[in-house]
Amino acid sequence: MKDLQFRRHRRLRGSASIRKMVRETHLHPEDFIYPIFVVEGTNVTNEVPSMPDVFHLSLDLLDAEVDEIVSLGIPSIIVFGVPNSKDDVGSSAYDANGIVQKAIRQIKEKHPELTVIADTCLCQFTDHGHCGVIEDGKILNDPTLDLLAKTAVSQAEAGADIIAPSNMMDGFVAAIRFGLDEAGFTDVPIMSYAVKFASAYYGPFRDAAHSSPKFGDRKTYQMDPANRLEALREAESDMEEGADFLIVKPALSYLDVIREVKDFSGFPVVAYNVSGEYSMVKAASQNGWINEKEVVLETLTSMKRAGADLILTYHAKDAVRWLNESE
């Protein structure tokens, strides 16, 4: 045994201090984007049944939520709206006095330094729950683009710092870029949901956003989870059309895609740690099957290690508290 040759990797794991010295990937509060759901009405603070600790908030209760986010040092939020009224073309998505537009104005008035991202889609605002205009049971691509551009412009007029289109119609980034530029918002970036898979992990979000499709599914516009090369083609299209950030959604089952999109594009890549990923951790934690803190921080670290520059996550507030405890 005395002549046995091997490397002593454990030397760099001998203490917490040494492990911290050689750690390759770090989480910081500025890595996180926190999602919030705003609703009509007053004094509304309803917990989403399938997403513990995630709430629907009316505008009169929104300030306290945003104050907490800012106090934790989280620099950006994304706003999702749940309107009272819906129609077949999602008119309240591009209403200047829609719930999202009112929320953005209110947030920016009190916290102008906070980066406010507007989710730009139609599914929460249509009575059929699909992300586009429907004719004879088909989701029409090109007529939908006009509505998306109108929605993005109205959100920028309300004060959104970044537009995040999520609807996966072909040409959606080009249409929104054209609409923003024409309206004078040439400096407003687009954070495109460039690589969005038709995933079963979205279930709890549809519970939160009341956006389940009334018929069929979204597989004609969201991607087949089995496809890797198609993800790169989608990312390339959005880069050519004017996207400034690229989102990969979901994150945890698609870490390989995050890495490839990062290496391929060189663009800022955002991992969307989606509702199903969040809810599974919460459920297991509440049953005492896992250590929530350790699982969450390990999961978020894996997304950064895969190449994500930013992580959109419902765990953001807890993660920041845990990171602060460890310092």
Side-chain angles (χ1 to χ4, degrees):
M1 292 290 287
K2 68 177 182 180
D3 295 327
L4 195 61
Q5 298 293 316
F6 55 89
R7 293 186 179 181
R8 298 276 180 187
H9 297 289
R10 294 182 60 194
R11 288 180 186 133
L12 299 185
R13 303 174 197 146
S15 70
S17 175
I18 293 177
R19 291 193 293 273
K20 194 170 182 180
M21 287 173 65
V22 299
R23 187 162 297 145
E24 299 172 19
T25 306
H26 298 268
L27 292 172
H28 304 287
E30 56 266 32
D31 296 332
F32 301 130
I33 300 168
Y34 188 67
I36 59 173
F37 296 90
V38 290
V39 297
E40 310 277 4
T42 57
N43 201 30
V44 179
T45 174
N46 294 330
E47 188 174 38
V48 178
S50 55
M51 300 180 72
D53 301 329
V54 173
F55 294 86
H56 285 161
L57 292 171
S58 52
L59 297 184
D60 56 314
L61 302 178
L62 181 59
D63 285 354
E65 172 76 355
V66 178
D67 289 348
E68 182 187 15
I69 294 165
V70 170
S71 71
L72 287 167
I74 298 170
S76 58
I77 61 172
I78 184 166
V79 179
F80 297 95
V82 184
N84 275 348
S85 62
K86 304 186 180 193
D87 58 31
D88 60 348
V89 290
S91 332
S92 55
Y94 40 90
D95 183 341
N97 289 310
I99 184 63
V100 169
Q101 289 80 357
K102 286 192 288 190
I104 292 170
R105 281 194 292 271
Q106 181 174 321
I107 295 165
K108 291 301 291 186
E109 184 175 348
K110 189 169 186 195
H111 292 289
E113 78 288 359
L114 183 67
T115 297
V116 177
I117 304 166
D119 179 81
T120 305
C121 197
L122 300 177
C123 57
Q124 301 104 301
F125 305 93
T126 56
D127 51 16
H128 45 70
H130 277 287
C131 303
V133 176
I134 291 181
E135 188 174 288
D136 298 330
K138 292 185 65 176
I139 295 94
L140 303 182
N141 194 90
D142 294 7
T144 300
L145 300 182
D146 293 334
L147 303 185
L148 291 173
K150 286 174 64 175
T151 302
V153 170
S154 74
Q155 293 168 337
E157 287 172 342
D161 298 291
I162 298 175
I163 299 300
S166 58
N167 105 337
M168 287 294 282
M169 294 296 123
D170 291 335
F172 68 152
V173 172
I176 287 173
R177 185 71 272 161
F178 181 83
L180 289 172
D181 291 351
E182 193 174 51
F185 296 108
T186 54
D187 293 331
V188 173
I190 294 176
M191 180 182 286
S192 172
Y193 288 64
V195 180
K196 183 176 181 180
F197 293 92
S199 171
Y201 284 97
Y202 302 154
F205 176 89
R206 291 169 187 166
D207 194 15
H210 299 170
S211 61
S212 296
K214 294 294 186 294
F215 67 90
D217 54 40
R218 297 192 169 114
K219 292 180 180 176
T220 66
Y221 43 106
Q222 296 179 358
M223 286 178 47
D224 184 338
N227 290 354
R228 177 179 64 83
L229 297 177
E230 186 184 9
L232 300 182
R233 294 198 298 272
E234 285 281 359
E236 184 176 29
S237 292
D238 286 11
M239 292 160 62
E240 292 171 351
E241 292 175 19
D244 301 282
F245 303 80
L246 303 173
I247 295 178
V248 177
K249 179 184 180 182
L252 194 53
S253 290
Y254 301 86
L255 295 177
D256 58 327
V257 178
I258 292 173
R259 168 50 60 195
E260 289 210 60
V261 169
K262 182 61 183 176
D263 290 346
F264 168 77
S265 70
F267 274 39
V269 171
V270 183
Y272 194 145
N273 178 209
V274 299
S275 58
E277 297 166 353
Y278 172 87
S279 297
M280 289 192 299
V281 170
K282 281 289 184 183
S285 169
Q286 290 179 348
N287 279 288
W289 298 334
I290 61 170
N291 180 309
E292 181 181 1
K293 171 183 173 180
E294 293 181 1
V295 167
V296 168
L297 294 180
E298 183 177 338
T299 300
L300 299 178
T301 299
S302 76
M303 294 168 193
K304 278 203 75 176
R305 194 184 64 243
D309 300 281
L310 299 164
I311 304 171
L312 200 165
T313 177
Y314 305 95
H315 294 294
K317 291 195 296 185
D318 286 335
V320 170
R321 292 189 187 99
W322 293 327
L323 290 172
N324 290 336
E325 287 172 4
S326 65
E327 288 183 352

